[in-house]
Amino acid sequence: MKSRCLFLIVVLMIPVGVAAVPKAEHHHTGIYLRLSTGLGFSYSREEVESIDYQIYGFANMVFLSIDGALTENLILSADVFGSVTVDSTVHVSYLPDLGGSGTVDVSGELACFGTGAGITYYVMPINLYFGLSGGISKVTFTDTSGYEIS
C-alpha cells in the first residue's frame, strides 16, 4: 500500500512543479567564453610532386571561442582551435608521373592549429541562429624519425 501512495504523490506533484516554473526568456547579449574538446577521426590528403600523401587516424580536438554581442542577437567571435592525431597512419603512393608506382605506410603525428573569426545572428523568439565563420590553419605531419611535412 505504501508504494501506491508514493506513486500518487509523485504523479500529483509533477504537474504542479512544471506549472510553477516560469517560461525562460533567451537573451543574447554580453560576452561569452566557449571551450570544447572531443575525440574523432582525422583524414588529410595532399599531392606533392607526383606523390600522394594520405594521413589518417584517431584525433583529439580543442576549440576555444571568445564571443561578444555587437547588439542583442548579433554575435562576433574570435576562435582558436587545434587537433592532434597521434600515431596516425600515412599511406604514400608514388604516381605514374615518376616512372612507376608503389605504396609505403609510415606512422607519426598529424597536428592542425588555427585561428578564425565568425559572426552569428539569432532569430528570436524561436532561438534559431545562422552563422558564418572563416579561419586559417597550419597542418604539420612529423613521422617517427623526425621528418616534418607542413
Side-chain angles (χ1 to χ4, degrees):
M1 187 67 174
K2 289 182 183 179
S3 62
R4 288 184 186 167
C5 291
L6 290 175
F7 178 76
L8 289 175
I9 291 171
V10 170
V11 170
L12 292 176
M13 290 179 71
I14 289 174
V16 172
V18 171
V21 176
K23 185 177 178 182
E25 294 183 28
H26 297 281
H27 294 281
H28 301 284
T29 59
I31 296 175
Y32 306 91
L33 178 65
R34 292 182 289 160
L35 176 65
S36 59
T37 186
L39 298 173
F41 189 82
S42 176
Y43 176 84
S44 181
R45 182 177 184 177
E46 181 69 28
E47 186 178 322
V48 179
E49 299 176 3
S50 298
I51 300 175
D52 184 39
Y53 296 93
Q54 295 180 47
I55 306 169
Y56 52 91
F58 289 100
N60 61 349
M61 184 273 309
V62 175
F63 180 84
L64 173 67
S65 180
I66 301 171
D67 304 346
L70 299 175
T71 63
E72 186 171 359
N73 300 326
L74 184 62
I75 314 297
L76 183 67
S77 66
D79 309 321
V80 177
F81 55 90
S83 174
V84 176
T85 306
V86 180
D87 197 27
S88 58
T89 300
V90 181
H91 183 75
V92 182
S93 299
Y94 301 97
L95 302 177
D97 297 353
L98 294 177
S101 64
T103 62
V104 64
D105 289 334
V106 295
S107 64
E109 176 182 281
L110 178 67
C112 175
F113 296 99
T115 185
I119 192 161
T120 303
Y121 181 74
Y122 286 86
V123 179
M124 298 305 288
I126 59 174
N127 204 30
L128 174 71
Y129 68 90
F130 298 95
L132 179 66
S133 62
I136 58 172
S137 65
K138 180 177 182 179
V139 178
T140 305
F141 175 76
T142 308
D143 71 6
T144 53
S145 67
Y147 179 72
E148 187 175 290
I149 302 170
S150 271

